[in-house]
Amino acid sequence: MVITHNLGFPRIGAKRELKFALESYWKGESSRDALKGLGAELRQRHWSHQSALDLTPVGDFAFYDQMLDMSFTLGNLPERVSGFHGDVLDNYFRVARGRSAKGLEDHSACCGAGDGVAAGEMTKWFDTNYHYIVPEFTAETKFALDATRLLEQLAEAKRLGVKAKPVIIGPVTYLSLGKAKDDTDKLALLPRLLPVYAELLNQLAAQGVEWVQIDEPILVTELTAEWQHAIKTAYTILVKQTTGKVKLLLATYFGQLQENLALACQLPVQGLHLDAINARAEVSAVVEQLPQDRVLSLGVINGRNIWKTDLNAVLEWLTPVAKKLGDRLWIAPSCSLLHVPVDLNSEQKLDADIRSWLAFAIQKLDELKVLATALNQGSAAVKNELEANQAAITARRTSPRANNAAVKAAVAAITAGMGQRQSAYAQRASKQATLLKLPAYPTTTIGSFPQTAEIRHARSEFKAGRLDEAGYKVAMQAEIARSVREQEALGLDVLVHGEAERNDMVEYFGEQLDGYTFSQFGWVQSYGSRCVKPPILFGDIARPKAMTVEWSRYAQSLTAKPMKGMLTGPVTILNWSFVRDDQPRSVSCYQLALAIREEVLDLEKAGVRVIQIDEAALREGLPLRKAQWQEYLGWAVESFRITANGAQDETQIHTHMCYSEFNDIIESIAGMDADVITIETSRSDMELLDAFDHFNYPNEIGPGVYDIHSPNIPTQAHIEQLMKKAAERIPAERLWVNPDCGLKTRAWEEVIPALTNMVAAAKALRNAA
Ligand code: GLN
Ligand code: ZN
């Protein structure tokens, strides 16, 4: 019999119940008990959705983050919160976000814990858009088990009759994803960490647990010999210290094991989970190499996308594997379902055709059940289900909604010349200088100005149909006029229209492109209470008409200064969407590139002389393994070039990226050949410009001098000092002065003084030159 299980279920709730409960608790509007009660309610509901499984994950629920849960379980709390006397949950939120709930924090009499504390650092979970709280280590780090959370949830599951499989993050992944705050070698902590894991496993065994899922996704990344060795040691010791009282299912996901494959197969655990979506090619090798007494769990349903699985196709390759493995085969989604929305049944407004192609978390578990029934009882037992699935798959493949022959032909006809500017940067720069007449150290902003309550109100009225199109246009034009007025008064050199009409830099374009659709409740947790609702790229991408030209033309009509046209680039649109699984990402990206290229050319025709194409998410798309970076960067950079480089020499192309590490991809960034790039640098004190020591970046660059994530107003002196640092690395005639990113989340009261200082700093630098 094939066993079915799941690695994790989305915890935010089908209607984002957890988000709202957390935010209300943090605001001091509801009690801790109410929040804990909602947690229990969600767990119960989520387990009931998984009741058809043979084994259900327990411990995958987190109030904020599963890594932070693990830090608390292991007793690895940062020093700055260790003396806290209040409720553990409050301390947990203090590490997560710097503070707990409003009004709950007067501990002056006991531990002296004040209002705020530095929040734990947050970073991306592998190549997903989920962010975890980074564990902190020092040479002094000690671990001490606190299994309360896990044991309570286990007891809760038992009461509800759930066939529980506790889920924890493995010791090596835990260590490797953490950050040493001093120069401690993290691996030196392993001997201290393992006894705590052993104790945890023993406590779970004492509760009658048979299987524990222990996640070691680090195995899909490039590991040094030391880290490979650590994996081996860790599991040898753990198994010894727990004397086999509990069985371990070691879970890997998100990619191939490659050079770690033999190691993973040899570990003395009782089962291995392999992502059979991303590592399908490794299934047969693992079947060969895994010892005969081990379970092999195959992740056969994609836990990262929202498409229906082609069940017949899976059965075709899986049936012989099942024959070979017999009872040793388990099946599951490829990874935790944390990365997909909860329930397609919530979607009542989606186009019926497109809806029939989709599967969210609950539907993915239904698919799993069909597969298991087919394997256990023969396909005839699920004849109807398999036929219905086949019909949906065929309908999608052949749908005129998804297929546009002209678009496919246009991608096939892409030539190298399309990615090539007419002249090299030097010639372009001199033509642009003649036309734009900008001073030295030109000032600009990244695009958005504060999204005020009035803007949001007008947009929601318009979406709800209470404000007509003409009324909406008037409201947005008033906002554009306001931001132009403010910028002229500030004395900025290159203006922006302010993006009042955009709710989101990807959604705004997706809504106007063919091939995109939007869900109502397709929320996915990004971090803590924050969720994103990625647009769904389902078909060939085409641009029926110009998307931004009218707003840009209007904005330009209000000023004699150059007005930047503002677009989101193809790579960012792709990386922040649910994308097709029926063609390579690169093809979808080229389609987007062709659509945005048309917009660039239309803006140019409308007299826009500066066009910024944001690639905020270019870095996010980097594959997990460095060996695959070049392939990705190749098509990503080429897509940008196709988008931008049809422009005339006189048109100045800007791009913007909001992160600060690109030492390792600087050559690709230079390869985009934008005339000007603006980047985030202020917080790193221009450190990121280290990249420019070894690499002579050829074009213009605006290193951010205003940290837009902070309410603080940078002083003129500070900005000048940052720019002087920058000028040590990059010739002053190629420097721009600008904030780190868009100003959408700030208030005008902050933006005006900050930009006043920025402009004053630029003027001082010019005068000093
Ligand atoms: N142009 C966008 C803005 O200013 C860029 C946002 C981003 O890089 N994330 O809002
Ligand atoms: Zn940015």
Side-chain angles (χ1 to χ4, degrees):
M1 287 287 271
V2 171
I3 299 278
T4 56
H5 74 118
N6 185 22
L7 278 66
F9 196 84
R11 53 227 179 193
I12 204 76
K15 298 274 148 63
R16 287 182 295 161
E17 295 88 333
L18 182 58
K19 170 194 177 69
F20 300 117
L22 283 169
E23 290 172 359
S24 138
Y25 177 64
W26 293 335
K27 277 190 226 144
E29 288 167 1
S30 56
S31 70
R32 193 185 301 125
D33 283 346
L35 178 61
K36 288 185 176 173
L38 178 94
E41 196 183 312
L42 285 173
R43 289 192 290 273
Q44 174 166 8
R45 195 186 307 160
H46 297 161
W47 287 329
S48 78
H49 288 312
Q50 304 175 81
S51 59
L53 296 172
D54 296 310
L55 284 169
T56 307
V58 168
D60 56 334
F61 178 88
F63 275 113
Y64 202 97
D65 166 45
Q66 73 265 17
M67 273 296 256
L68 187 58
D69 275 353
M70 208 60 216
S71 289
F72 273 70
T73 302
L74 299 168
N76 180 28
L77 275 54
E79 172 76 32
R80 62 188 180 278
V81 303
S82 59
F84 186 73
H85 283 169
D87 191 275
V88 179
L89 188 61
D90 288 321
N91 212 19
Y92 172 87
F93 290 140
R94 293 172 80 229
V95 183
R97 52 193 289 278
R99 54 189 55 230
S100 185
K102 218 178 186 164
L104 275 181
E105 284 172 309
D106 188 19
H107 286 267
S108 39
C110 50
C111 47
D115 231 24
V117 54
E121 197 181 308
M122 202 165 62
T123 198
K124 269 161 68 74
W125 177 246
F126 295 85
D127 59 351
T128 72
N129 274 329
Y130 178 79
H131 301 74
Y132 68 92
I133 304 288
V134 180
E136 298 174 28
F137 304 117
T138 65
E140 270 71 59
T141 296
K142 300 230 169 17
F143 303 99
L145 182 65
D146 178 359
T148 324
R149 170 192 60 92
L150 208 50
L151 293 178
E152 279 177 5
Q153 292 184 19
L154 190 60
E156 195 178 272
K158 269 195 194 161
R159 274 200 301 280
L160 294 165
V162 172
K163 292 153 277 178
K165 176 196 59 179
V167 177
I168 57 176
I169 291 164
V172 184
T173 294
Y174 180 77
L175 276 183
S176 89
L177 297 187
K179 192 167 172 180
K181 294 276 159 177
D182 48 22
D183 48 17
T184 310
D185 169 19
K186 292 186 284 178
L187 279 179
L189 301 173
L190 191 61
R192 277 182 235 167
L193 183 57
L194 290 177
V196 180
Y197 268 90
E199 197 183 333
L200 173 61
L201 294 175
N202 284 328
Q203 291 202 13
L204 292 172
Q207 297 305 310
V209 165
E210 185 187 3
W211 281 95
V212 172
Q213 173 188 321
I214 189 157
D215 289 6
E216 290 285 11
I218 204 70
L219 276 164
V220 308
T221 65
E222 283 136 340
L223 297 176
T224 61
E226 283 86 359
W227 284 91
Q228 286 184 327
H229 183 71
I231 296 253
K232 202 164 167 184
T233 319
Y235 287 90
T236 309
I237 292 178
L238 273 186
V239 169
K240 208 174 278 165
Q241 293 188 348
T242 54
T243 58
K245 276 183 248 157
V246 54
K247 296 180 185 157
L248 296 182
L249 177 75
L250 186 108
T252 68
Y253 39 80
F254 299 148
Q256 300 197 350
L257 294 167
Q258 295 191 13
E259 72 282 5
N260 302 323
L261 188 145
L263 168 69
C265 290
Q266 286 155 14
L267 294 173
V269 292
Q270 288 73 21
L272 176 69
H273 173 85
L274 181 73
D275 176 336
I277 300 294
N278 288 300
R280 183 50 213 290
E282 295 183 334
V283 171
S284 55
V286 172
V287 169
E288 286 310 311
Q289 294 187 34
L290 200 66
Q292 299 283 323
D293 56 346
R294 311 285 160 83
V295 157
L296 176 58
S297 163
L298 292 178
V300 294
I301 307 270
N302 195 329
R304 293 279 294 272
N305 76 13
I306 37 77
W307 302 108
K308 263 190 184 151
T309 307
D310 184 342
L311 297 176
N312 295 283
V314 171
L315 280 174
E316 204 175 306
W317 72 262
L318 192 57
T319 306
V321 177
K323 286 228 170 74
K324 207 175 252 173
L325 292 174
D327 285 347
R328 294 168 54 212
L329 176 66
W330 292 15
I331 57 172
S334 56
C335 58
S336 165
L337 296 173
L338 180 66
H339 311 288
V340 294
V342 179
D343 188 4
L344 186 63
N345 289 328
S346 307
E347 300 296 331
Q348 295 309 327
K349 290 194 178 157
L350 266 179
D351 170 278
D353 279 351
I354 297 171
R355 195 171 181 278
S356 73
W357 307 339
L358 301 176
F360 291 179
I362 292 179
Q363 290 70 38
K364 285 176 184 282
L365 294 176
D366 292 341
E367 294 184 332
L368 194 66
K369 187 163 177 237
V370 173
L371 288 174
T373 310
L375 292 171
N376 288 333
Q377 302 168 29
S379 296
V382 279
K383 185 167 175 286
N384 293 343
E385 288 85 345
L386 290 177
E387 277 173 11
N389 176 266
Q390 187 59 58
I393 299 292
T394 310
R396 178 179 165 210
R397 191 174 301 141
T398 54
S399 165
R401 310 277 314 274
N403 293 284
N404 180 333
V407 173
K408 291 192 198 325
V411 170
I414 288 175
T415 58
M418 287 170 76
Q420 209 67 45
R421 292 292 290 264
Q422 291 166 340
S423 312
Y425 164 74
Q427 281 104 295
R428 296 187 326 248
S430 85
K431 291 187 197 174
Q432 290 161 17
T434 314
L435 191 74
L436 297 172
K437 300 193 177 54
L438 296 172
Y441 291 102
T443 54
T444 191
T445 61
I446 306 303
S448 55
F449 272 109
Q451 288 256 331
T452 58
E454 300 88 77
I455 296 179
R456 282 197 296 268
H457 180 71
R459 189 169 32 243
S460 66
E461 291 292 294
F462 176 52
K463 287 212 161 158
R466 288 188 291 268
L467 181 65
D468 65 7
E469 193 159 348
Y472 178 68
K473 195 169 152 188
V474 169
M476 290 303 118
Q477 287 188 338
E479 293 295 337
I480 292 172
R482 172 185 186 179
S483 72
V484 172
R485 253 190 339 265
E486 300 285 10
Q487 292 172 85
E488 294 218 300
L490 285 161
L492 286 154
D493 300 308
V494 174
L495 310 196
V496 297
H497 76 288
E499 302 181 27
E501 80 289 4
R502 302 182 193 177
N503 164 41
D504 176 276
M505 65 190 281
V506 170
E507 189 172 276
Y508 180 75
F509 291 94
E511 278 175 346
Q512 302 187 71
L513 291 169
D514 287 350
Y516 258 107
T517 193
F518 297 84
S519 66
Q520 270 178 291
F521 302 103
W523 297 100
V524 179
Q525 193 174 13
S526 167
Y527 66 91
S529 68
R530 296 298 186 95
C531 303
V532 292
K533 187 152 66 66
I536 299 171
L537 194 170
F538 70 88
D540 291 331
I541 295 293
R543 187 196 71 143
K545 58 180 194 325
M547 303 182 282
T548 65
V549 174
E550 212 183 311
W551 300 117
S552 278
R553 191 187 278 131
Y554 173 72
Q556 182 68 83
S557 77
L558 302 174
T559 179
K561 295 252 174 103
M563 172 64 60
K564 270 197 278 194
M566 201 58 62
L567 303 173
T568 304
V571 188
T572 297
I573 298 184
L574 183 86
N575 285 344
W576 284 346
S577 300
F578 277 123
V579 297
R580 299 169 65 164
D581 60 348
D582 58 349
Q583 67 185 19
R585 291 172 80 84
S586 57
V587 175
S588 297
C589 201
Y590 286 131
Q591 291 187 354
L592 286 162
L594 290 176
I596 313 288
R597 175 185 171 95
E598 290 173 26
E599 190 71 14
V600 169
L601 299 180
D602 277 351
L603 281 171
E604 190 174 56
K605 256 183 252 154
V608 177
R609 290 164 288 166
V610 183
I611 300 173
Q612 177 174 315
I613 304 165
D614 290 326
E615 283 294 14
L618 186 112
R619 204 191 153 84
E620 285 184 20
L622 283 173
L624 285 171
R625 285 172 181 272
K626 269 215 161 126
Q628 284 150 16
W629 283 20
Q630 275 320 312
E631 196 253 342
Y632 164 75
L633 287 168
W635 57 256
V637 169
E638 187 56 18
S639 295
F640 181 87
R641 293 177 60 107
I642 291 166
T643 306
N645 290 356
Q648 302 295 310
D649 281 351
E650 289 75 9
T651 302
Q652 189 172 68
I653 298 288
H654 290 219
T655 188
H656 163 70
M657 289 172 195
C658 22
Y659 36 80
S660 39
E661 348 136 37
F662 50 58
N663 274 333
D664 45 4
I665 57 168
I666 185 87
E667 288 179 39
S668 298
I669 297 206
M672 292 162 71
D673 200 20
D675 297 301
V676 182
I677 179 170
T678 54
I679 51 176
E680 176 177 313
T681 26
S682 70
R683 255 188 303 182
S684 78
D685 204 26
M686 298 286 145
E687 256 169 39
L688 96 94
L689 299 181
D690 287 353
F692 297 83
D693 286 344
H694 319 286
F695 181 81
N696 186 10
Y697 185 78
N699 305 0
E700 289 161 58
I701 181 160
V705 291
Y706 166 17
D707 175 7
I708 59 94
H709 301 290
S710 158
N712 300 340
I713 311 295
T715 62
Q716 180 185 331
H718 182 65
I719 295 173
E720 280 182 50
Q721 185 205 328
L722 288 175
M723 289 307 300
K724 280 180 191 149
K725 267 195 162 177
E728 288 165 13
R729 259 70 177 259
I730 296 148
E733 59 278 12
R734 286 199 268 123
L735 281 174
W736 285 62
V737 184
N738 47 262
D740 272 347
C741 191
L743 301 166
K744 164 180 189 168
T745 56
R746 300 259 62 96
W748 278 108
E749 297 71 50
E750 298 160 332
V751 164
I752 299 282
L755 294 181
T756 302
N757 294 348
M758 191 184 89
V759 172
K763 285 189 178 148
L765 291 164
R766 273 169 216 160
N767 292 337

